[in-house]
Amino acid sequence: MLIKLTGGTVYDPARGVDGEVRDLYVRDGRIVDSPNDTAIDKEYNLYGKVVMAGAIDMHTHIGGGKVTIARTLLPEDHRRDPFQRTDLLRSGCGHAAPSTLTTGYRYAEMGYTAGFEPAMLPTNARQAHMEMGDVPMIDKGGYVMLGSDDFLLRMMAQRKDQQAINDYVAWTIKSAQAIGVKVVNPGGISAFKFNQRSLDLDEKHPHYGTSPRAILKCLATAVKALGVPHPLHVHGCNLGVPGNMETTLKTIEAMEGLSVHLTHIQFHSYGTEGDHKFSSGAAQIAEAVNANKNITVDVGQILFGQTVTASGDNMRQHANHNHAHPNKWVCMDIECDAGCGVVPFRYRDRNFVNALQWAIGLETFLLIDDPWRVFLTTDHPNGAPFTTYPHLIRLLMDKTFRNDQLTRINPEAAAMSSLGSIEREYSLYEIATMTRAAAAKLIGLTDSGHLGASARADITVYTEQEDKEAMFAKPDYVFKDGDLVVRNGEVVKVVWGTTHVVRPEHDDGIEKSLRDYFDRYLTMKLENFTMSDGEITEDGRGSLSVHPCSTGGEA
Amino acid sequence: MTGYHANSNRECNRDMTNKSKAVVWENVPSPFCGIGTDDLSIEVDGTALKVLQNGCSVNSAGFEEPVTDTDPRVGGETVTLEEAVAKAADILRETNLPLVGGLATDVNGMRAALALADRIGAVVDNMNSTAAMRNLLALQSGGWVNTTLAEVKNRADLLLMVGGDVESLFPRFFERCVWNQDAMFVDDTTKRDVVFLGRAPAGDAATAPDGRAAEVLACSNADLPEVVAVLRALIHKKVIRANEVGGVPLASLQILAKKLKHARYGVVSWVAGSLDFAHAELMVQTLCEMIKDLNETTRCSGLPLGGREGDQTANSVCGWITGYPVRTSYASGHPEYDPHVNAAERLLTNGEADALLWVSAFNVERTPPATDVPTIVLGRSGMVFEKEPDVFVPVGTPGIDHSGHAYRMDNVVALRLHKLRDSGLPSSAEVLSAIEHAVM
C-alpha cells in the first residue's frame, strides 16, 4: 500500500524544512523516498495544509500507581467529563486524570502520536506498563525512577565504585523496561521516610549521609556512561518552594557540563522578592539555560482550573497538602524504593501565587532562545491536563491573545511579571521543533519526530488558522504508523502504539548482589520482580521497540 | 527436578508445565493471600498440586484444590465451550441491566470483563466490595497516608492492628513482615512493639520471637468507632471526661497515643473485611485522619490489609479503564460510579438486575448469590451449586492454569503469575472475550 500526501506545507525541523511545499510517501507504516515507478494506492490532497510529524509528549503522567490513585480519588471530577461509547470507541472519562482509553483517544485527536510516563517506580513498573498497554493510539515509554531507592543510596554510602552503580542503573532500566532514568527530589523521598521535611542540594541525607548533589552527579554520570540517549531526567530539590531558583541555578552549576534534563522547571523558578516574598526567577533560569548547552528543560506550565497533582515527591506533596482542593490527599511510602503523593489542586487566575506561576511558565518559554532545549509540557496533570496544549500553543504563538489573558489575572502578579513586555511569538517551525524534532532527539527516538525516509509514518495535518488553539485542537488528519487514525479531530481507527525501551549493557555480577539483597530485605524474589517482554507483548496489541545505546547494549 | 533457573527473565523458562513427570517449582507467587507471598515451593504431578514449602492455610488450600469438572454445562447438561458461550451471549443479549459480578480474576480477566460490560451496558461489582468500599469511601472522602509491605518490614517500630483477625486471614504476615530477621532500619526486630486494638489475635503469630506477647486493648468491634475517635482526640491532647471507652481504660489509650506520637515509623493496620458494623468507612476515615495528624510531627502510615480473591486487582484495573472503582455502571453508555446504587446485592434483591454473570476463578466456595435471574457462572473447577446456573464454564485459576497478573493488598506491587500445569481450562479472559464477540 503506497500512500501519497500531496502538496502540504511541511514543517520538519529535524531536516531543516521550514514551511516548504513537499510531497510525502508512505509505505508499510514508514515514510519512503519518492517511488517513481510505482502506482499510488491512495492520495491525500494537502495543498494549503500544514504538515508536521506526530507530536511527542516527553513528560506526561499517563500510567502507574499514582495516576490510578488520582483517578480513584476524584470521581467528582470524572463525572463532569464522561466519554460516551461509540461504535468504534470504548467509553471512559476525561478531565484531570482521564481513563486510559480516553487518554489515548484525546492525545490522538490533538495530533499526538507518543507520550512518555516520567515517573515509573521500579516496584510499580509492571502497573505503569499495564496501564500504558491500555492507552490506545500512541507510542509509549517510561523513565524509571531512582535516587531515593535504598539500594543506590546504600551503594553510595558504602562508596561503591561508579562502575558498580552503572551496572545497577542498567539492570534497573532493563528490569523495568524503561527508556530513560528519572530522579525525583534526589534522596528526599527517602529522607521523608526518616521524618526529614526538606533536603537542599548540599544537605546530607539523615541516614546515608549522601547529598542530592552527589546523587545527581552519580546518576547523570551513570546514564552518560551507559550511553542511554535520554540524559538524566531531573525533578530537582525544593519543588514549589519560594526561592528555589537558587537551588536550580546551583543544580545547573553542579552538573559541570554533564547533560541533564530539568523537568517542570516552572515549579523550580521562584524568587522571594516583593510583598508576598514570591517572585519570578524565570529570567535568571532562562539565562542559565541559554548559557549551558548541556541543559534541557520542559516547562510544566500551569493553566487555570481544577486539576490533580500526582508526583513521586511525597516530601513536597506532603508539605503542600494544606492547599488540597478538594480537601483530600494521599501520600505513600513505597517498598524502600520510592514514594508518591497525590494532591488535587485548583489554580485560580485571581490568586497572586497561581497567577504568577502562570506568568513564570510563559516567561520561561519565551526567554529561552533555543526551541531544541525547551519542551512544551504542563507536567500533565500537575500544571494542567494535557488537553490544554492547544490553548498553551496559542499563548506562545499569539502575543495579542497572551497580553489579553494577562489583563485577566491577579493584577499584582501581572505587574510583577515581565510577560507583557516580551514581544516574542513562537513560529510554527519552533512549535514543530519543541513538540516533535527536539523531543524525539532528546529521548533517542531516531525514527520518530521527523518526516525523513524510513521514519515511522506518524504524521499530523492541520489547517492553518489565525486562532492557533482551534488549529492545534483539531487536525484534519493524523496518521499513526501509516494508518489514518484521526479525521477532522475525530478518531476513525483504533491502533495500539509500541513501547520504546533501551537496554544498556551491564555486568551480570550485579544480579548476585541484588539477589541477596532482595532475599534479605525485600518482599519479592528477584526473578519475580523483573519484567519479561511477554508481559508487554503477549496480548497481541503491545510491542517493544528497542533503541540503541551509544556504548553498545542490545538493539 | 527443580524448575528454577537463574537469570530466568524470559517467559519460556517460567511456563512451568511439564507433562511427563512430577516437577517442583520454586519461588511461586500466590494470587490467593493478598500479601504477595512469592516463595512457595510447589510440586506438580499431572494436574495435582502440592505445596511443599512455605505453605499456609490460605495458600496451600488455594493451590491444592483439585480439578474436578472441566466441561461447561448449560442447564446442567454437558456442552462444548462454544455452545456455553453462545448460550451466555443469548442470555445477555436479551437483558436490560445485566450485572457482571464476582470479578475474582486476574488483570486480563478484569480487562475482558470491562470490555464486555462496556458493550452490553452492564454494572460491574466485585464479590468483596462491601469490605473494599470501607476503604475506598474513606479514600474518596479524605485521602490517606499509606505504606507498603517492604516499608513495614524494614522501618516500622510500632504496629497497631485495629479490629482484624490478621492471623487467620493473612497467616504469614507477621512472619514475613514483622518478625523478619534482617531489617534495614530497625536494629532488633524482636523488639518491635505490636498492639492490638479490638479483637485479640487468634493465635501466637503476633508474639515476638523472644516470647513477648502482643499487647491487647480489647473491645468489641461495635465499640471501635468510639475507641478510635477517642484515641485521635487524645493525640490532639483533648480532655476526655471518662475513665474507659468501650471497655478500654482511658489510661491505656493515653499510653497508646503517646507511643504513636513517639514512634519513628508507626504503622496502623486494619482489615476492612473484619469491620462488620454499619458505616465502618467512617471509622476507617477517622484512622486515616489520625495518621495524617501524626505526620505533622513524626512518621506514621496506614496499611489496609485485604486483596484476597482479586479485589485489589478488580479495583485497580477498573480504576484505570473507567476512572472509577467497581460498582460502576455502563448502562448509559459511559461509566457511572455509585457505591450504593450499583451494589450487586442491592441490584439483585431489588429486582433491578435482570441477569447475572459471575466470575470467580480463585475460590470454589465463592459461588454466586441466590437469585432468580438468569445466571452465568465462570467459576473455578470444583464449584458446587445449590442451584445449577443456566450456564457454567469451569475456568482456569490465574497463577495455576495460566499466566497473568494479580495485585497485592498495598496496591503497588503487581505479581507476575505463572502457568504451573496443563489442565486445558480456559482463562476467564478468554471466555469473557468469546462472550463479548458472540453478543455482537
Side-chain angles (χ1 to χ4, degrees), chain A residues 30 43 57 131 149 209 217 232 266 318 331 353 457:
Chain A
R30 297 272 165 172
E43 183 172 3
D57 194 343
E131 291 190 22
D149 50 312
K217 284 197 73 171
L232 181 66
Q266 177 277 130
H318 184 264
C331 275
V353 171

Side-chain angles (χ1 to χ4, degrees), chain A residues 74 168 216 229 316 351 438 446 450 454 472:
Chain A
L74 290 172
Y168 168 59
L216 285 168
R316 294 302 313 149
N351 171 289
T446 50
H450 69 91
S454 86
F472 280 94

Side-chain angles (χ1 to χ4, degrees), chain A residues 72 84-85 90 100 124 130 134 193 195 197 328 333 335-336 511 515 522-523 525 527 532 535, chain B residues 4 7 11 27 38 111 118 140 148 150-151 153 265 295 297 299 320 332-334 405 408 412:
Chain A
T72 307
Q84 197 73 10
R85 182 185 179 84
R90 293 272 305 273
T100 47
N124 189 243
M130 289 195 290
D134 281 329
K193 297 173 187 174
N195 203 25
R197 299 305 166 114
K328 49 183 174 179
D333 299 323
E335 291 296 275
C336 302
E511 286 216 355
R515 188 177 303 282
L522 298 188
T523 51
K525 296 290 180 184
E527 72 267 24
S532 66
E535 294 182 63
Chain B
Y4 169 68
N7 302 318
E11 291 301 275
N27 294 338
D38 73 340
R111 283 168 161 160
D118 194 354
Q140 291 173 334
T148 68
E151 298 287 358
K153 178 175 175 177
Y265 197 90
N295 277 292
T297 54
R299 289 308 320 275
W320 77 65
S332 53
H334 62 264
H405 290 100
R408 214 166 76 171
V412 171

Side-chain angles (χ1 to χ4, degrees), chain A residues 470-504:
Chain A
M471 171 178 168
F472 280 94
K474 206 175 169 187
D476 297 65
Y477 302 110
V478 180
F479 297 87
K480 178 78 193 84
D481 296 309
D483 281 326
L484 178 66
V485 295
V486 170
R487 189 198 295 269
N488 296 326
E490 285 181 14
V491 175
V492 294
K493 181 175 184 185
V494 175
V495 294
W496 299 87
T498 192
T499 297
H500 296 286
V501 298
V502 289
R503 299 207 166 142

Side-chain angles (χ1 to χ4, degrees), chain B residues 98-105 109-110 113-114 117 122-133 136 309-311 313-315 318 322 324-330 336-348 353 355-360 366 369:
Chain B
L99 171 63
V100 179
L103 292 180
T105 178
M110 198 55 206
L114 290 165
V123 174
V124 291
D125 193 9
N126 175 264
M127 56 171 68
N128 292 343
S129 282
T130 301
M133 282 300 155
L136 286 163
E309 275 113 18
D311 55 30
T313 305
N315 282 306
C318 198
T322 72
Y324 306 104
V326 296
R327 295 198 172 167
T328 286
S329 170
Y330 282 103
E336 288 181 300
Y337 165 67
D338 191 312
H340 308 290
V341 171
N342 294 330
E345 198 183 352
R346 200 199 68 82
L347 291 170
L348 289 171
L356 172 64
L357 169 59
W358 182 260
V359 184
S360 179
R366 300 301 297 267

